[in-house]
Amino acid sequence: MTSPYTQPLVYFFGQGRADGTAAMKDVLGGKGAGLAEMTNLGIPVPPGFTIAAPLCHTDLETHQFPPWLRSQVETSLQRLEAATGRQFGGGDNPLLVSVRSGAAVSMPGMMETILNLGLNDTTVAGLEKQSSNSAFAWDSYRRFVTMYAAVVFDLAKAPFEHRLEEMRLAAKVSRDIDLPVEQMKALVKEYKAIVLKESGHPFPEDPIEQLWGAIAAVFESWNTRRAIDYRKLHDLPDAMGTAVNIVTMVFGNLGEDSGTGVTFTRDPSTGARGLYGEYLLNAQGEDVVSGTRNVEPISQLKDKLPQAYSELERMARVLERHFRDVQDMEFTIERGRLYMLQTRRGQRTGHAAVRTAVEMVSEGLISEEEAVARIPPNDLNQLLHPTIDHAAALDLLTTGLPASPGAACGTAVFDADMAEQMGRRGEAVILIRRETSPEDFHGMIQSRAILTARGGMTSHAAVVARGLGKPCVASAQGMDVDESGRKFEVGGRTIREGDWLTLDGGTGRVYSGQAALIPPEMNEYFTKIMGWADRLRHLRVRVNAETPADAHRARDFGAEGIGLCRTEHMFFEGDRLIAMREMILAEDTEGRKSALAKLLPIQRTDFEAIFRAMEGFPVCIRLLDPPLHEFLPKDAEEIAGLARALNRTVEHVTRVTESLAETNPMLGLRGCRLGIIYPEITAMQARAIFEAACTVASRKGRVMPEVMIPLTATVVEFRQQALIVRQIAEEVFRERQITVPYLLGTMIELPRAALTADEIAREAQFFSFGTNDLTQTTWGLSRDDAGRFLPQYLERGIIPDDPFQVLDEAGVGKLIQLACELGRKTRPDLKLGICGEHGGEPRSVAFCDDLGMNYVSCSPFRVPIARLAAAQSALAARGTMDRTRATV
Ligand code: ADP
Ligand code: MG
Ligand code: MG
């Protein structure tokens, strides 16, 4: 019968030229492709063959092997016998094999492998004779029966291991291999009895039957609970399937001149050059990783088996040169001879990724473009923030939204005043609030990190923390904060004031206790990579910043201007807040104007400082945006204080506060609607901006202000607001006898604005996409309320990503694209940019680049990430890199 498959089902390797190559991962799996490629490089690999991964699903669906597979496997077995001069099932010189899983994408430890297959009561005697080493033969047999029982008969390993340990203790030996041979023999007998008793089947003596049992079991290990979960977690397709590799056994348990180990070609945590790994003498594969024996660092192999060690070093160099990347290798030494059993791309930390890429360029292994292309942008986080040292045990309390990256330790504090006092004394505190409000700002500044039970990625706590560059976890799950009781409860545990906590704002994890932190390090390697990235990218990268300190920090990170300066954050402090509240509580235009007059010099000073900090770069200032009640006091004590300060009755303040409350403030009186209803606010802000700009310009500073009108829905709103801004600009320029070029544009954050972008572009000189609000309004979804169901949506695959973290290209992205096209049709030189959290998310950055935007703007610590992502996007557009590569 001829096979209906157009491709072979079985691929040979380890002798001559292999049937496969590294490029055939989809068919051979990563392990099989690596074995084939190593063969072709002349690297010593024990001969064997790979059964193609597509057969996995045939097996899983039909539970039987197609006859043409049987015949191809049998032919390959004969070829293996010829290559090794041994016989499968042969009594004198038995051929033993391992049966190993291996999918296209590595799933470490998720699937099964069986070693020493082919042993039975006859062949074990052959092995004893052939090796003149009975301990070795029976040790191998014992291992085989254990693995086979576990993998094929699905029996627990514990009873087997338990008996082994008992025997070892009784014999007073520490290594399995040192057990007296008689005991090993007894053990194998016992093991087989366990198999019969537990599974109802006798242990198969026929090697061919063993082989098919193992092949089926390896295929089926594709669908174990843990393998399925792993694929879900890492977003891997179930359709991939695993290949099966049948590999001639080489033995690391043949004596003290034999051994086995795993090693990286460079240190995976620092990137330092040189082998980094572990090994064991007189041992077999799984011993190294199973933790049953104390492994030795690979450097010691140099003294123990110098020849094999230098051969291993040579293999590392050959493989790195060939694959042009760090390799993670598995090897076995049989009586002094080195065999390579696996090689794959080595996983690494952000630090190692950057250092390795830079050093490989200087070694001539890769180009600068490749170095830039292969660093996952988000890995830079590890170089920009402290990270938690996961080497030590951690006690996870809860998880929340990763609202602002970085890790920090501190003692729990439940109010801002106390946080401020302690922080000033230099004590490490973490401010914990149900949710933060402007009144907490002074405490947030002095805290190491912020933890809240409520609020989303755009909550006050999150936005302020990102601006301050402090870690923040928001909406921590199951967290019940008792602020007056100075404690919180989570998962049945209570954390009180003064208890130590560690928080990772990059992952959203909150730990009890004080974990060790690894400090950030922007070293020479980082500087090199970023320099290369900047030469490659077209997209500009700006920062969202409203303080000079942020602006300075962002410049250090390479920001080329401010893309979003939120003016409201400037009102959240001390005197400003009082003047702001006075303005809000004013009963008429006159009252409002007099309050605004107090705010004017404050704003002007702020803008001057910002312009100076960003000299030579554009600064985009957004006019007042949030609903006014956000500035008002919330509890009775504060209302009373405000009433005293403004010389008003408590009733009056309460009444006005209540009258400003809205059912749906995000869709209420906010954005440019405020400026339409209270034009004097817009006028004051415009005056502050232009006066500040003139002051800096008159001292020969280069200022490039951009005035941004928020939440525009119709061009008429824009026109009215623009009129005020332009009038004030003229006035100020006349008064100051100097003209400063400026741009006037709008935020696009409502679907209607996107849909009528052609009309708006007639008036507006730039668009900045406010993707946080645009996502909320496009989805009809409030970010702060989404926590109740968004996790389920993600879990059930209703949506692939959180649209607030990764730009929803299919929906929100389509609106953005439409707005870009419509806008540029009206005004070809329309400046386009994006602000909001997506501005620093690598995939969203690529999306903006593809649309031909001028810039992205993000929080300070994401600036380097956006620079790298923009460079990768430029490379992808040139076809130099696969867009998906660096981000997986
Ligand atoms: P995993 O994918 O879990 O790493 P492997 O199939 O790579 O499983 O096997 C684990 C270990 O078993 C290998 O690292 C190696 O030490 C050992 N091993 C596998 N096949 C052989 C073989 N043919 N000869 C000697 N050791 C082997
Ligand atoms: Mg392996
Ligand atoms: Mg907005």
Side-chain angles (χ1 to χ4, degrees), residues 31 46-47 96-102 107-116 245-252 260-262 284-286 288-289 329-332 341-342 344:
K31 205 177 282 169
L96 304 189
V97 296
S98 61
V99 180
R100 316 167 65 189
S101 57
M107 296 168 51
M110 288 302 120
M111 292 176 300
E112 305 291 2
T113 283
I114 296 173
L115 304 183
N116 308 324
N245 300 287
I246 290 138
V247 189
T248 304
M249 283 303 301
V250 286
F251 299 103
T260 184
V262 295
Q284 238 186 10
E286 79 279 21
V288 177
V289 286
M329 313 177 299
E330 298 177 4
F331 65 89
T332 283
L341 290 168
Q342 190 172 342
R344 65 183 155 206

Side-chain angles (χ1 to χ4, degrees), residues 607-649:
F607 292 145
E608 240 184 83
I610 293 262
F611 286 144
R612 286 235 168 75
M614 264 295 156
E615 245 201 84
F617 288 118
V619 174
C620 183
I621 297 169
R622 178 178 71 182
L623 302 181
L624 194 65
D625 179 57
L628 293 181
H629 72 84
E630 279 197 12
F631 298 96
L632 293 177
K634 300 208 166 53
D635 57 50
E637 200 181 310
E638 268 190 276
I639 291 181
L642 179 61
R644 265 196 309 279
L646 299 180
N647 214 357
R648 291 285 188 176
T649 62

